[in-house]
Amino acid sequence: MTQPKGLLNREFVALNGIAFFTYCNLAIFFEFHDYLSTLPIPSMSIGFLIAAFSLTALTVRPIVSPLITVQNSRKWMFTSCCFLIASLTLYNFATGFWSMTITRVIHGAAYVVLGTSATTKLVSVIPKDKSAQAFGLLSVISLLPFALIPPLLKPLTGYFAGFDGVINVSAALMLINLSLIALLKAPRTADLDEESPLSISEIVVNLRDQRIWSLLAINLIVWTSFTSIFFYLKGFGEKIGISNPGYFFTVSTFTEMAVRVFAGHLFDKINKKISLVVSLILLIFGYMLIGIVTNPIGFYSLGLVLGLGWGIILPIINGFLFDVSAPKCRGLNANLATEMFQAGFTLGPFLGGLVLFGYGYLPLFVLSGLVLVTGIPLTLLSTKENSITGKKL
């Protein structure tokens, strides 16, 4: 298939639109815990029901990723989007534990298939020399709903007569995605003949490439350490007298977005290995210092530092992975990177909670920084000659 010359082509813009509305759909569940507490569901089951969505996604993605190709991704997107809309309407009828469990599993499965197929299509419309910039822009689009939606939920819940009303509006908005999917080019017959789902041997060869598995490992490390900060920072902030610790992530999120908007065009021009190491050092430095700050200025300043590090490292990793992947494996590897993201959101809170319970906040943050140190030698592996093909980056 011919690679597009410009980044802002029709399909790239349409796919970013699909990502935006899909993440808006996720952002409305910011108050899902409060909604579940109003239903006749045991309090001890609420955490499971919240996690059921991510656990489903974590399970389904490795199964469907090898089956989805650039050529069949459009059909997968359309079908999964229809199921996603249907799953959102099911929330109107899910008032007990089992009905809500089934709804969450269907919702999670539909979401992950839509995301997987959209990612597979996305990597085919990114120019080779703009990979990091493309993933930087996509991440800004992905962050926007989480910055915009949560503050609006309270008035929206009142206007639409409850949280279930907001979910119904979200389902209606997902119809926009169906029209955006229609903007994507239909596969040509010749292309259909050329491309088939990845075979097991192709997947094995791909994963044996040390550049691939090392970058996936770095992705897992980054997200595991991030979630250890994300889920436990509020308690630490309150402990040292910060009135609203949530503003830490307001500062860091807008810093991430600013870095990717204003410096994203540089991500593909500078050495990705150096950028990766520098951003890792920046994050290690920030994590190590969090546990010793004692005032708001230091606390929020570290939000700025970490926002800068997160703003650089995530598009660099994804762009790097795109660059070293064989064209046929780019969709698979991009989806495996997302799998590392979801695995990090599972491991980070679990392991971080054990450390926090046993040792306290300072060891938790120091250990999060030390975990990132392992990413530096992995970065060197990611730039070495491919041990399978003998090719260099």
Side-chain angles (χ1 to χ4, degrees):
M1 285 184 83
T2 305
Q3 284 283 350
K5 294 181 180 180
L7 179 59
L8 298 179
N9 54 77
R10 185 184 74 180
E11 292 189 293
F12 182 79
V13 173
L15 288 163
N16 273 270
I18 292 169
F20 176 77
F21 287 108
T22 302
Y23 279 104
C24 282
N25 169 266
L26 290 183
I28 67 167
F29 285 86
F30 179 76
E31 293 189 355
F32 191 51
H33 179 276
D34 294 338
Y35 173 69
L36 288 175
S37 65
T38 67
L39 300 177
I41 293 173
S43 298
M44 63 182 297
S45 301
I46 289 178
F48 169 77
L49 291 172
I50 293 173
F53 179 93
S54 295
L55 288 173
T56 302
L58 198 63
T59 304
V60 171
R61 180 173 274 106
I63 298 172
V64 301
S65 291
L67 304 176
I68 300 174
T69 68
V70 174
Q71 304 310 324
N72 64 25
S73 59
R74 194 166 174 256
K75 291 181 179 179
W76 281 92
M77 272 187 275
F78 183 85
T79 303
S80 57
C81 191
C82 290
F83 272 96
L84 187 58
I85 293 169
S87 70
L88 290 169
T89 62
L90 288 178
Y91 281 94
N92 292 282
F93 310 100
T95 56
F97 173 78
W98 287 110
S99 58
M100 184 60 76
T101 298
I102 293 170
T103 298
R104 294 291 283 168
V105 169
I106 296 173
H107 185 191
Y111 161 77
V112 76
V113 174
L114 176 60
T116 301
S117 51
T119 300
T120 301
K121 180 65 175 176
L122 178 72
V123 297
S124 71
V125 301
I126 296 175
K128 174 72 175 177
D129 60 343
K130 297 184 183 295
S131 56
Q133 183 183 3
F135 285 108
L137 289 174
L138 178 64
S139 63
V140 170
I141 295 296
S142 303
L143 285 170
L144 271 176
F146 295 97
L148 299 175
I149 300 296
L152 298 175
L153 280 176
K154 187 173 182 178
L156 287 175
T157 300
Y159 186 80
F160 292 109
F163 183 72
D164 49 353
V166 176
I167 293 179
N168 291 333
V169 172
S170 177
L173 284 175
M174 290 301 291
L175 293 171
I176 298 174
N177 273 0
L178 293 177
S179 62
L180 290 172
I181 292 169
L183 292 176
L184 303 176
K185 294 178 181 178
R188 299 178 305 169
T189 303
D191 290 334
L192 287 171
D193 294 335
E194 290 173 7
E195 187 171 344
S196 59
L198 288 166
S199 66
I200 294 176
S201 61
E202 287 174 318
I203 295 171
V204 170
V205 169
N206 175 66
L207 294 177
R208 285 178 61 197
D209 184 341
Q210 64 190 23
R211 302 175 303 173
I212 303 299
W213 62 255
S214 60
L215 286 167
L216 291 174
I218 295 170
N219 219 328
L220 176 61
I221 290 166
V222 169
W223 283 115
T224 300
S225 61
F226 168 81
T227 51
S228 295
I229 304 295
F230 181 80
F231 285 105
Y232 301 115
L233 188 70
K234 183 176 184 290
F236 172 73
E238 291 173 345
K239 181 181 177 182
I240 64 173
I242 305 297
S243 59
N244 192 341
Y247 282 124
F248 179 97
F249 287 102
T250 301
V251 172
S252 65
T253 299
F254 279 102
T255 303
E256 284 185 66
M257 293 168 63
V259 167
R260 294 168 188 174
V261 169
F262 296 109
H265 65 286
L266 299 175
F267 290 161
D268 294 294
K269 297 179 180 178
I270 55 181
N271 186 293
K272 288 187 175 70
K273 179 176 70 174
I274 295 174
S275 301
L276 198 49
V277 171
V278 169
S279 55
L280 280 169
I281 293 172
L282 198 60
L283 292 176
I284 293 166
F285 171 77
Y287 287 7
M288 295 286 193
L289 288 181
I290 288 179
I292 62 174
V293 296
T294 57
N295 57 71
I297 293 177
F299 186 76
Y300 294 126
S301 294
L302 285 176
L304 183 67
V305 171
L306 292 180
L308 180 61
W310 291 326
I312 297 171
I313 197 168
L314 296 174
I316 289 294
I317 292 175
N318 289 322
F320 214 152
L321 189 61
F322 176 94
D323 292 345
V324 301
S325 298
K328 191 174 181 179
C329 294
R330 283 174 181 162
L332 171 66
N333 290 337
N335 282 306
L336 287 175
T338 305
E339 186 79 353
M340 296 302 101
F341 156 77
Q342 289 174 328
F345 264 77
T346 302
L347 287 174
F350 175 71
L351 298 177
L354 293 177
V355 175
L356 179 61
F357 179 78
Y359 303 99
Y361 285 106
L362 180 58
L364 170 64
F365 299 144
V366 170
L367 184 60
S368 296
L370 291 176
V371 167
L372 283 177
V373 172
T374 61
I376 295 176
L378 285 170
T379 300
L380 301 178
L381 283 176
S382 70
T383 58
K384 282 189 175 181
E385 184 179 280
N386 184 350
S387 59
I388 306 301
T389 65
K391 293 180 180 178
K392 294 183 178 180
L393 174 62

